[in-house]
Amino acid sequence: MTHAPDPRDELITHVPAMRAFAISLARDTTLADDLVQDALVRAWAGIDGFRPGTNMRAWLFTILRNGFYSLRRKRRREVGDPDGIHAAGLAEAPGHDGRLAYADFERAFHALSDEHREVLVLIGAEGFSCEEAAQMMGVAVGTVKSRASRARARLAELMGLGKGESALIDSEPGTRAAIAAAAARAG
Amino acid sequence: MHSYAGMDRERKSPVDDRRTGRSDPHPRPRDEIDENLKRVYSRLVEEEVPDRFRKLLEELRRKESGR
């Protein structure tokens, strides 16, 4: 046992992903960094709860999201937006080229409920399986699937996309401006 | 940019699996939404580890070896 590598040496490699997940949940970098710090301290102290050979990132994300929801309960305020109050007036039609800018997408994403942002990051962005996400979120696999489906639908709705319009954002910020500038020069 | 052991194994850049040259003229919104998520999220992930967290982990290690 004494010669086994310390899994805690690996913690730092997960910090960038933990921060991205925390920012997605908290929508605030200061709070996000506090969540990451708290999760790292807990992970360090509770490393015996990590089973070597299993997915450390999933384990860390579980600690982090539990910290987030615990804080939310403590604050006794609903950070989420199940009724779409924050989202009112957010939906704007995409630009004339039919493509969304990063800012449009981020704004719509931030208007989702905490649970919807969480499931989309875990499944859509991080690429965890529904089974892994179910374990991390402490819900049934079917719940993860239906929640992810509703979250995507809500996001599309918030982006104000009509049927047949591309939901894909510009590959690089500034592309649209560059295209507009080029068009102006050509015209 | 620092590269840590295990990072390359676990993290292919989410952007790399972008499907180019697909023949479907009407890509499913689900795929497009996930693609957006990966793009936006990868911009958050690629940041350096702030000193705050390096120092925190060093401090935790130091305290423990001091016991």
Side-chain angles (χ1 to χ4, degrees):
Chain A
M1 279 303 264
T2 49
H3 296 293
D6 187 342
R8 290 178 297 194
D9 291 342
E10 207 191 310
L11 287 175
I12 197 162
T13 67
H14 298 288
V15 170
M18 290 172 77
R19 288 191 79 218
F21 182 43
I23 291 168
S24 303
L25 282 179
R27 296 177 289 193
D28 174 277
T29 50
T30 305
L31 175 57
D33 280 349
D34 288 346
L35 289 168
V36 171
Q37 167 139 348
D38 188 56
L40 285 171
V41 171
R42 284 174 191 272
W44 188 277
I47 196 68
D48 291 346
F50 172 70
R51 287 186 295 123
T54 62
N55 190 329
M56 179 177 265
R57 178 157 303 169
W59 181 68
L60 291 169
F61 274 30
T62 305
I63 295 172
L64 203 158
R65 56 88 63 194
N66 288 348
F68 172 73
Y69 286 109
S70 158
L71 187 68
R72 190 179 76 168
R73 279 194 302 275
K74 267 186 215 154
R75 290 185 172 183
R76 294 186 171 193
R77 66 183 172 88
E78 190 56 51
V79 184
D81 189 23
D83 300 323
I85 294 162
H86 297 319
L90 277 173
E92 289 176 11
H96 290 302
D97 56 2
R99 306 207 104 195
L100 292 167
Y102 270 99
D104 300 326
F105 183 82
E106 286 180 327
R107 191 163 42 176
F109 181 75
H110 283 182
L112 294 173
S113 69
D114 298 340
E115 285 78 4
H116 281 178
R117 291 196 313 284
E118 175 180 40
V119 76
L120 286 182
V121 166
L122 295 179
I123 304 284
E126 273 284 347
F128 285 110
S129 69
C130 288
E131 289 72 18
E132 285 173 318
Q135 203 167 10
M136 294 158 79
M137 293 159 62
V139 297
V141 176
T143 305
V144 171
K145 288 178 179 170
S146 59
R147 190 177 289 177
S149 174
R150 281 198 303 272
R152 287 192 185 95
R154 181 80 181 118
L155 190 53
E157 186 188 339
L158 285 168
M159 287 190 290
L161 292 172
K163 273 198 159 66
E165 280 181 302
S166 175
L168 203 60
I169 52 177
D170 289 338
S171 55
E172 293 298 331
T175 300
R176 190 153 60 180
I179 291 170
R185 280 196 302 275
Chain B
M1 171 91 194
H2 290 278
S3 177
Y4 302 106
M7 184 175 262
D8 295 333
R9 169 172 50 83
E10 289 192 23
R11 290 204 64 78
K12 283 175 279 186
S13 168
V15 180
D16 286 346
D17 68 7
R18 152 184 328 166
R19 289 161 296 277
T20 51
R22 61 186 158 197
S23 55
D24 184 358
H26 301 292
R28 293 184 306 161
R30 172 184 164 152
D31 290 341
E32 295 194 331
I33 284 172
D34 284 4
E35 181 66 29
N36 289 345
L37 285 167
K38 284 174 184 162
R39 287 183 189 175
V40 171
Y41 190 77
S42 67
R43 277 150 55 94
L44 291 176
V45 173
E46 285 167 11
E47 289 175 15
E48 292 273 314
V49 175
D51 279 350
R52 167 180 177 172
F53 299 116
R54 290 186 181 286
K55 285 177 180 158
L56 171 69
L57 291 168
E58 283 165 13
E59 179 69 13
L60 289 166
R61 173 70 71 195
R62 202 178 55 76
K63 271 188 195 162
E64 188 172 80
S65 52
R67 265 183 214 161

